[in-house]
Every structure is written in C-alpha cells, then in structure tokens.
Amino acid sequence: MLSIWINLIRHCNYHFVITLNDSNIFYKNYGDIIGADPTVITVGDEYYLYFTNADGTDCSFIQAFKSKNLMDWEWLGRVFVPQRDAWAVSSLWAPEVIEKDGKYYMYYSGFDTNYQVMGIGLAVSDSPAGPFTEFKGTLEDGTVINHKKSPFNYVLKGYRSNFKAIDPSVLIDDGKVYLYLSQDQVNRESCVYGMELASDMVSIKKDTITGPLVSASQDWESPNAANRWNEAPFVIKHDGKYYMTYSANYYASSLYSIGYAVSDSPLGEFEKPDDNPLLQA
C-alpha cells in the first residue's frame, strides 16, 4: 500500500501525505518541507525519501530524509549536487533511486545545456544516504561518458537528437532493467516511452525503445486540448501483469489527476481501464 500511495502522489505538487496500510491511521507533515515528485525506498528497517525542491526556484540539488517509522524524519542534507560544469546543473526534478547489487542508482531530470532541453541523468552512490555523483564510464557501445554528458541516448527515428524528457522511472523484472520516461511537450504533447537497459543500468538497448506507451486519449485527460499530458510513469508488476500509474492534465491545474494502464509485458501495449482516473480533485 505504501509504495502504491507514494507513487500516486508522485509528480503532484502537494505537501507530502504518507499513508500506512491501516486506513484508520494517517501520518503526515504540516508543510515544514514543501516538495514534489516524492519517491521512497526501503533499506533494511529504514525508509529513504527523495524529492524535487518545491519551496522556491533552487532546483540545483537533490536532498533526502530518512525515517524508521514514516513519521519522524532525519534530514540527510544535499545528497546530490552536480559538478558546476556538468551537463545539467539546474531543473533537477523527479529523482528516483533504485538499488542493484549493493549500489544505488538515482535517475533524475535536468536541463541539458548541450541540447538546451530537459534530459535524463544518472547519479550513483554506495549508500542510499549519498553522496551521489554523476555516472561516468564506458557504455556497451563504447561511448565514454563523464559528468559533462547525459549517459542516455534515446534518439528516435525522425529526431536529430534526444527529445525533451522528464520523470525517469526504472523497473527491474526477472533480471531485466526497464527505463520509462515522459516525452515532455514535443509538438504540444507529453506521452510515455519505455526501453530496456543493459545490466549496467545505463546502456540503452536501442532496438527496444517503444512508445508512446500511453498518451492522452480518455475524456478526463482532455485529449482534444491544445496541450496534452501523460507523464510521471511508474510501473509495478503484479500477478504477471504490468501496472503503470501516470499523471494527466497540466500539473498546475486543479484537474491534474492520476490514471493507470495495464499490459501483459513491460514494453507491451498498455490499455487504460474505463474506471480511470484513480485519484482526482
């Protein structure tokens, strides 16, 4: 229940409200920390919380908190601060952390100074408490990456460079790694793409880039509006099916809501049930 609720409020610019499995108990803060796009992971008996700064204009770092009870939180400080000459030093949004083989991978959105658009980055750490540093190394295709270049190359047919992208999310399923992201207002539309990553957690298997997996199509999503949004994907597997939650409508609108779609495979055709949306003002 916790992970589902956390991701229902992912990408909603609200104060955090964290609900346990007991419907009669609610734990929340009262606005001391204002953030968006929260993600929580468990490590042993501790919870780690990461989010987008939403209390001003300074999105040049990612901070984190930890807790043992989801009610009392210890500030861990700025766990990721990009190098000043990095490919992205501003608009660091929607961090998501996942662990594999004892290493922690933080996927995040950032303003790519090389392409002058929003792009996807990766920072790594040996601890969930950081510090996280930009990925550097050699991809499977031989490309050498350092902090001055985004490690992700998701160029599609018809595009000369990466499209604008935000809201990365990663699923590890049966030993395979999948990256989901939001195409961010290309031709006035945001929609969700997916792709498989190599075991290094960063190299894209380019022949697997698939999408749109979901795009604005149901009435509640305002599919005929001048600008359309399906963004902030998060995928879980349950009983052999893949469930994607996503946000629709403009994030600053009271109509901003959460929907879901279901597929038989992680990059397959996702179908939106008629009972959407899941969460709506």
Side-chain angles (χ1 to χ4, degrees):
M1 176 65 179
L2 171 65
S3 63
I4 294 175
W5 179 251
I6 284 295
N7 288 291
L8 285 178
I9 63 172
R10 178 175 166 77
H11 208 69
C12 291
N13 194 13
Y14 305 143
H15 298 182
F16 301 131
V17 179
I18 300 174
T19 305
L20 293 179
N21 202 26
D22 185 342
S23 61
N24 295 313
I25 301 176
F26 297 90
Y27 294 100
K28 64 181 179 180
N29 70 35
Y30 292 90
D32 294 332
I33 301 297
I34 300 174
D37 313 319
T39 184
V40 169
I41 64 171
T42 56
V43 181
D45 62 349
E46 294 181 315
Y47 301 91
Y48 289 82
L49 166 67
Y50 313 85
F51 55 87
T52 302
N53 299 326
D55 58 353
T57 59
D58 190 359
C59 287
S60 63
F61 59 88
I62 301 295
Q63 57 184 320
F65 290 75
K66 74 174 180 178
S67 173
K68 286 185 177 293
N69 61 9
L70 295 172
M71 184 168 60
D72 302 301
W73 293 90
E74 175 189 351
W75 185 54
L76 299 177
R78 301 181 178 190
V79 297
F80 173 52
V81 181
Q83 298 184 53
R84 291 299 87 189
D85 60 345
W87 69 275
V89 295
S90 64
S91 298
L92 304 183
W93 303 338
E96 185 167 306
V97 177
I98 191 168
E99 181 271 338
K100 183 175 182 288
D101 298 331
K103 188 174 289 291
Y104 295 86
Y105 297 82
M106 177 187 288
Y107 298 83
Y108 61 94
S109 313
F111 183 75
D112 192 330
T113 57
N114 297 315
Y115 293 103
Q116 295 296 298
V117 297
M118 289 298 294
I120 304 300
L122 174 63
V124 296
S125 176
D126 292 326
S127 166
F132 287 82
T133 58
E134 289 98 338
F135 170 85
K136 63 179 181 179
T138 302
L139 305 183
E140 285 199 343
D141 64 4
T143 302
V144 178
I145 299 293
N146 59 29
H147 67 282
K148 295 184 178 182
K149 182 178 181 180
S150 167
F152 297 105
N153 180 7
Y154 40 84
V155 175
L156 302 180
K157 180 182 290 187
Y159 289 84
R160 290 180 294 177
S161 62
N162 288 359
F163 53 69
K164 295 186 292 182
I166 59 174
D167 302 340
S169 181
V170 168
L171 168 71
I172 299 178
D173 175 51
D174 292 334
K176 293 185 177 181
V177 184
Y178 299 94
L179 170 67
Y180 303 91
L181 49 80
S182 302
Q183 175 183 272
D184 182 32
Q185 285 299 290
V186 177
N187 298 323
R188 306 183 77 170
E189 182 174 19
S190 295
C191 49
V192 174
Y193 280 78
M195 59 207 72
E196 185 180 344
L197 302 180
S199 59
D200 63 7
M201 302 288 285
V202 62
S203 296
I204 293 174
K205 296 185 177 182
K206 293 183 173 56
D207 60 346
T208 69
I209 299 175
T210 308
L213 298 177
V214 295
S215 57
S217 59
Q218 295 184 320
D219 288 344
W220 67 277
E221 301 171 326
S222 299
N224 298 317
N227 295 76
R228 300 174 296 278
W229 280 270
N230 272 190
E231 59 186 5
F234 185 84
V235 178
I236 61 172
K237 184 180 182 181
H238 178 68
D239 288 344
K241 290 189 178 293
Y242 297 83
Y243 294 82
M244 175 189 294
T245 57
Y246 64 94
S247 301
N249 294 318
Y250 179 46
Y251 73 89
S253 167
S254 62
L255 297 176
Y256 198 53
S257 307
I258 304 294
Y260 78 106
V262 186
S263 177
D264 291 326
S265 64
L267 297 177
E269 181 178 352
F270 279 82
E271 296 185 2
K272 298 178 180 179
D274 293 335
D275 60 356
N276 265 331
L278 286 174
L279 180 65
Q280 189 175 47

